[in-house]
Amino acid sequence: MFSVSRPALQACRLPRQPLGAPVACRRSCLSYFETRRPYSTARDRSAVGVFTPKSAALFVLSGIGLFFYFRHEKAKVIEQQEQERSTKAYGRPLVGGPFSLTTHLGAPYTEQELLGKWSLVYFGFTNCPDICPAELDKMGLMLDAAEKEHGPIFNPVFVSVDPARDSPSRIAVYLKDFHPAFTGLVGPYDAVKAMCKAYRVYFSTPPNAKPEDDYLVDHSIFVYLMDPKGQFVEAFGQTVTVEEVLQKVRDEIASWKSEMGKTA
């Protein structure tokens, strides 16, 4: 064995650093972290995936623009379809057709009598307590106003759905309380039923009813507008006002005149 003297060992030791003084390793580490590029920058922290705030904003604006564009185009298509529907006859319900009844004056009356004028056809009965009189009054007001604008080109028709009690003479008396241009129609039960079926009218009169019977009649409440060719144009319900009917009549007559060169 050999031995090393104490003075030799002391000579090999590194100089002792004062407390608090940074060692060389610490200085090297600090220098490394200070000079190394950080893992994330402000730009990286604000980016989401492959999107930056600018690209995200452009994406959102593009989506909004496409939404309004397609909504506008859809509105244009709907408007065009409505215009086509209102100016063309095809696509309308199949309402109307052949019938053969008798007027309140006892004369025969068929669908041919509807040609050449704008017809307003209403189905009701003389024992109706309030609805039928109200609808016939409304028709009279509309006729007075329409004739002032367009002349006597209208044909108002009242069809009885109570053939057992509504004779031609009874209808004649009943219609005196309304517009003088009204034509009242009635006929055998099967003939009335056939016309109601053609016009899609519901009525509940018993088929074997007698004039002396006491029964109630339920029926559809519509005024049918037919053009001078006898084709269905519109059905006006109980809630439709006189002005709304007049406006529809104006529009249809204007369209008819532009196509035919005349109002009826």
Side-chain angles (χ1 to χ4, degrees), residues 144-174:
D144 287 337
E147 288 181 349
K148 290 180 181 179
E149 295 183 27
H150 310 288
I153 60 173
F154 300 96
N155 177 35
V157 178
F158 171 81
V159 183
S160 173
V161 295
D162 187 9
R165 293 182 294 198
D166 285 347
S167 63
S169 58
R170 180 169 183 154
I171 295 175
V173 174
Y174 180 73

Side-chain angles (χ1 to χ4, degrees), residues 122-247:
Y122 179 76
F123 294 80
F125 64 109
T126 62
N127 279 341
C128 184
D130 49 14
I131 294 177
C132 291
E135 292 301 293
L136 294 177
D137 280 336
K138 188 165 67 177
M139 289 176 65
L141 293 174
M142 196 285 300
L143 287 167
D144 287 337
E147 288 181 349
K148 290 180 181 179
E149 295 183 27
H150 310 288
I153 60 173
F154 300 96
N155 177 35
V157 178
F158 171 81
V159 183
S160 173
V161 295
D162 187 9
R165 293 182 294 198
D166 285 347
S167 63
S169 58
R170 180 169 183 154
I171 295 175
V173 174
Y174 180 73
L175 291 179
K176 287 182 179 180
D177 292 333
F178 306 102
H179 199 280
F182 266 109
T183 297
L185 299 181
V186 72
Y189 180 89
D190 289 341
V192 172
K193 182 179 179 180
M195 184 176 182
C196 288
K197 183 178 180 180
Y199 280 78
R200 301 187 180 185
V201 172
Y202 164 78
F203 73 105
S204 63
T205 306
N208 299 318
K210 298 179 176 57
E212 63 273 14
D213 291 344
D214 184 18
Y215 54 88
L216 299 176
V217 177
D218 188 19
H219 62 90
S220 304
I221 306 170
F222 289 102
V223 176
Y224 295 88
L225 175 64
M226 314 295 289
D227 68 21
K229 289 184 179 181
Q231 297 178 345
F232 171 78
V233 176
E234 188 66 87
F236 303 105
Q238 190 177 3
T239 61
V240 178
T241 66
V242 172
E243 184 53 43
E244 288 172 335
V245 177
L246 282 172
Q247 187 57 54

Side-chain angles (χ1 to χ4, degrees), residues 8 11 18 30 35 39 74 76-77 83 87 95 99 105 113 120-121 131 135 138 147 149 191 195 221 224 230 256-257:
L30 289 175
T35 58
Y39 282 103
K74 182 179 179 180
K76 286 175 60 178
V77 171
Q83 289 175 350
T87 56
V95 175
F99 64 88
L105 298 177
E113 307 300 328
L120 291 164
V121 183
I131 294 177
E135 292 301 293
K138 188 165 67 177
E147 288 181 349
E149 295 183 27
M195 184 176 182
I221 306 170
Y224 295 88
W256 180 275
K257 187 175 180 180

Side-chain angles (χ1 to χ4, degrees), residues 72-85:
H72 176 70
E73 289 299 312
K74 182 179 179 180
K76 286 175 60 178
V77 171
I78 293 175
E79 182 180 358
Q80 183 178 359
Q81 290 174 345
E82 287 296 319
Q83 289 175 350
E84 291 177 354
R85 185 189 65 80

